[in-house]
Amino acid sequence: MMRTPQFWYQKKRNWKAYLLSPFAVLYNGVSTLYQKLCAQKQTNVPVPVICVGNVTAGGAGKTPVTAAIFSILARAGRKPLVFSRGYGGEIESLTHVDTDHHLAAAVGDEPLMLAGQGVNIWIGANRARGVKALSQKCGAIIMDDGYQDAKVARDINLLVVDGGKGFGNRMVMPAGPMRENLNPALFRADAVVIVGQDTYGIDGMVSGQLPVFQARLSPEQAVQFDAPVVAFAGIGMPDKFFKTLSAMGAEIHAQYAFADHYQYSPSDIWKMAQKHPDTPLWTTEKDYVRLPEALKPKVQFLPVRAVFKDEARFESWLLSRLQTTGE
């Protein structure tokens, strides 16, 4: 797993992006062909399917948004469940994630984190087979990721975008962060959820075409930092975590950024602890579930939740859309 290249998120494209542009054309062509082939034999199920995805590689905030949607549908009595591919996990068969029996290495860090939050979540390597089987167990399925996977017909497509990073240089991987070109991605979307302050100007780009909802990642509880901390994170955008800690009043003595979904070894934690003795180690909830069990007591984590600026408006839109899909 690699760290996100910085030039991806420079609006002004540099020489690295142009050098990689032929590979981006090839990647986008293969991806587009794959989507067209999958769309010809889509799996349809008798319950609503909501896809929460993004058009960039990692870090947009789709998993917290997925958890928020699960809560909304559960309160409304819709009996939802979440389905994920379980990225990074070893289990491929359809499996209900249970924090008492599974580790992140088996089911993936994001599914295990959601399960710890009380979300009814299942994983499986095959989305079409998984969604078809799970449609008999629930009233609605929320797919965490899978926006570019056309094998499953969905009733609602939600495109989640980081307000600061946006679409980066708007080039397709490996020249930029895009998983596909922007226009076809927006064409398939039913709404856009902007996570964090919209300094990129996403609202101006899509308003009038699609409903736009604002959300932010908020710490689940207040924390009093009485001493400097060492912060580390292996997520799509580690700097977001470091900025959140600073905004909460933490003095960051040192910070370490790892690749997204990085699998920590005991030596990783011991090295930080020995280099900064008597300094508390803080990380994200997603990183925490990937830590070796014996070392978890030495680390504290900051749980965050997606909070909509106008949750009543989003909830009303979501439930009304489910009604109009013929559910």
Side-chain angles (χ1 to χ4, degrees), residues 195-208:
V195 178
Q197 187 176 358
D198 183 17
T199 58
Y200 189 90
I202 302 156
D203 192 10
M205 295 172 63
V206 301
S207 64

Side-chain angles (χ1 to χ4, degrees), residues 22-92:
F23 299 99
V25 172
L26 178 62
Y27 180 97
N28 187 65
V30 172
S31 176
T32 301
L33 177 61
Y34 176 75
Q35 288 189 47
K36 288 181 178 179
L37 291 175
C38 290
Q40 294 176 3
K41 42 185 177 181
Q42 278 189 332
T43 295
N44 289 273
V45 296
V47 298
V49 175
I50 303 165
C51 178
V52 183
N54 56 12
V55 72
T56 57
K62 60 180 175 50
T63 299
V65 170
T66 295
I69 293 172
F70 176 86
S71 296
I72 289 172
L73 296 185
R75 289 198 305 268
R78 304 298 294 242
K79 297 181 180 177
L81 60 76
V82 173
F83 177 78
S84 167
R85 285 282 301 276
Y87 180 82
E90 299 167 350
I91 295 177
E92 296 187 354

Side-chain angles (χ1 to χ4, degrees), residues 198-276:
D198 183 17
T199 58
Y200 189 90
I202 302 156
D203 192 10
M205 295 172 63
V206 301
S207 64
Q209 306 175 54
L210 295 165
V212 177
F213 301 96
Q214 299 278 345
R216 59 184 171 85
L217 298 184
S218 177
E220 190 176 32
Q221 57 193 24
V223 178
Q224 183 69 39
F225 295 96
D226 299 320
V229 303
V230 171
F232 68 95
I235 56 177
M237 299 178 187
D239 59 306
K240 290 172 65 174
F241 171 63
F242 304 144
K243 289 177 181 178
T244 298
L245 280 182
S246 295
M248 294 177 65
E251 178 187 342
I252 299 180
H253 178 70
Q255 62 188 43
Y256 297 89
F258 296 86
D260 195 13
H261 303 284
Y262 180 79
Q263 292 297 323
Y264 295 99
S265 67
S267 64
D268 292 320
I269 309 305
W270 281 117
K271 284 177 182 177
M272 287 187 285
Q274 290 174 351
K275 190 173 182 178
H276 308 282

Side-chain angles (χ1 to χ4, degrees), residues 57 124 221 291 295:
Q221 57 193 24
L291 296 178
L295 294 180

